Amino acid sequence: MAALMAAGPLLALLGLCLGPAAAVTPLVIWHGMGDSCCNPVSMGYIQKLVEKKIPGIYVLSLKIGSNMIQDMENSFFMNVNDQVREVCSQLATDPHLQGGYNAMGFSQGGQFLRAVAQRCPAPPMFNLISIGGQHQGRVYGFPRCPGESSHVCDWIRKTLDLGAYTKAVQEHLVQAEYWHDPLKEEDYRKNSIFLADINQERGINETYKKNLMALKKFVMVKFLNDTMVDPPISEWFGFYKSGQAKETIPLQETSLYKEDRLGLQEMDKAGKLVFLGVKGDHLHFSEEWFDSTILPFLQ
């Protein structure tokens, strides 16, 4: 008994020397078009995988709406700026996230979470992982459609062809809000209510720049055999050379980078930008690749 009593103060002192165990940084996930927060074969699977590999981690898979059906529908039809405001509110009121979090977005969820980083610095986002996110937008880009939403995408194609930059379409069709037509750059800059704003196409919002530069790492994953995103280099923040739709240029050759409107040039020089390529079509990757390549950014 005496030995146990003596050990008590010794263990307490040892605990003070070692300090408290490091908490695991929470993770926020945002799904892509036609998906939902908790689909067991997509985001639900990813959430369970992360929780299994990183014991004790808190994972919030974002749901926009009161159920999975609404969440899926909102990925097509709810104004992106309203979605971002909703997410910022969710993050600000979640007690698990107040010390900061990592974020991982899939497809359009990648650029939406970047908007969160730029617009809502509290709680702080540490690392942003964009898996197939289209940061310079997409165009001509619905060769196929996710899940069981083919009839929806048929309608979207027709609507975008009729007038992606009209006020009604911009306000009520998510995919129009990051539709970037290299042959209609002036229309895009003037009328895009989401992407042109977060990409500083109409002027410099220094707060956006400051907030994005606060990231420790901005990881961009490009699918090397992508048949869904046009152009695929948008996943690395590149795009078509201005005024045509054949030749693409990398981020470093864009005016966005050269003028450093978002701070990406400075982040690049500081080693904060990470460009990863993975073989496969859009959002096709193996668990082994995810474990070895993505999980280290979450630990």
Side-chain angles (χ1 to χ4, degrees), residues 148-164:
E148 301 300 321
S149 308
S150 58
H151 63 291
V152 177
C153 284
D154 286 340
W155 179 84
I156 289 174
R157 290 186 192 100
K158 294 175 182 177
T159 303
L160 290 171
D161 287 343
L162 288 173

Side-chain angles (χ1 to χ4, degrees), residues 3-297:
L4 289 173
M5 293 177 65
L10 181 61
L11 290 173
L13 181 61
L14 184 60
L16 289 174
C17 293
L18 293 176
V24 180
T25 302
L27 174 64
V28 173
I29 298 173
W30 200 337
H31 62 80
M33 174 180 71
D35 202 354
S36 67
C37 65
C38 316
N39 187 329
V41 299
S42 59
M43 294 302 98
Y45 175 79
I46 292 293
Q47 180 171 351
K48 288 184 178 180
L49 180 62
V50 171
E51 290 170 343
K52 176 182 177 182
K53 299 290 184 177
I54 308 177
I57 191 172
Y58 172 73
V59 180
L60 172 64
S61 188
L62 293 167
K63 179 174 67 175
I64 313 299
S66 59
N67 55 56
M68 288 175 59
I69 298 298
Q70 284 188 3
D71 190 24
M72 183 274 288
E73 291 174 344
N74 286 334
S75 76
F76 291 111
F77 302 120
M78 182 177 177
N79 185 297
V80 180
N81 294 309
D82 292 340
Q83 292 193 54
V84 170
R85 277 190 287 271
E86 163 66 21
V87 165
C88 289
S89 177
Q90 286 188 35
L91 303 186
T93 56
D94 189 324
H96 297 92
L97 304 178
Q98 299 316 298
Y101 63 97
N102 292 322
M104 182 163 56
F106 293 82
S107 196
Q108 67 183 27
Q111 60 260 33
F112 297 173
L113 278 170
R114 175 164 64 85
V116 171
Q118 292 175 210
R119 294 175 178 176
C120 307
M125 183 186 297
F126 298 140
N127 295 314
L128 171 57
I129 303 169
S130 168
I131 300 181
Q134 303 105 51
H135 293 282
Q136 284 275 25
R138 66 191 294 176
V139 69
Y140 319 129
F142 287 87
R144 58 184 181 82
C145 202
E148 301 300 321
S149 308
S150 58
H151 63 291
V152 177
C153 284
D154 286 340
W155 179 84
I156 289 174
R157 290 186 192 100
K158 294 175 182 177
T159 303
L160 290 171
D161 287 343
L162 288 173
Y165 298 121
T166 62
K167 181 176 174 56
V169 174
Q170 282 287 312
E171 288 286 347
H172 300 291
L173 182 57
V174 166
Q175 289 67 38
E177 296 176 48
Y178 58 90
W179 195 253
H180 186 174
D181 190 334
L183 304 181
K184 298 179 180 179
E185 287 284 359
E186 189 58 36
D187 285 345
Y188 158 71
R189 281 191 291 270
K190 182 180 178 181
N191 297 308
S192 169
I193 66 172
F194 174 69
L195 190 69
D197 176 65
I198 65 167
N199 281 4
Q200 309 272 47
E201 300 282 5
R202 291 190 287 265
I204 307 300
N205 182 328
E206 292 295 341
T207 300
Y208 283 4
K209 184 174 179 178
K210 175 185 175 183
N211 291 342
L212 189 65
M213 291 177 65
L215 289 173
K216 295 178 180 179
K217 294 288 184 183
F218 179 11
V219 181
M220 289 170 269
V221 176
K222 173 187 170 186
F223 291 89
L224 301 178
N225 310 103
D226 204 315
T227 63
M228 189 168 180
V229 175
D230 186 359
I233 201 171
S234 180
E235 297 168 15
W236 279 350
F237 236 120
F239 201 61
Y240 287 113
K241 200 170 186 178
S242 183
Q244 49 83 59
K246 292 183 179 179
E247 182 183 354
T248 61
I249 55 175
L251 166 64
Q252 289 78 4
E253 294 180 23
T254 65
S255 59
L256 176 68
Y257 184 92
K258 291 178 179 178
E259 298 168 7
D260 211 16
R261 300 197 303 265
L262 270 177
L264 294 171
Q265 182 184 138
E266 193 168 337
M267 292 176 72
D268 195 15
K269 291 177 179 178
K272 289 187 171 187
L273 301 187
V274 180
F275 302 90
L276 301 175
V278 57
K279 292 181 180 179
D281 205 344
H282 194 63
L283 299 186
H284 288 197
F285 56 86
S286 68
E287 183 176 326
E288 291 74 21
W289 173 84
F290 186 85
D291 286 354
S292 62
T293 308
I294 300 301
L295 283 181
F297 293 103

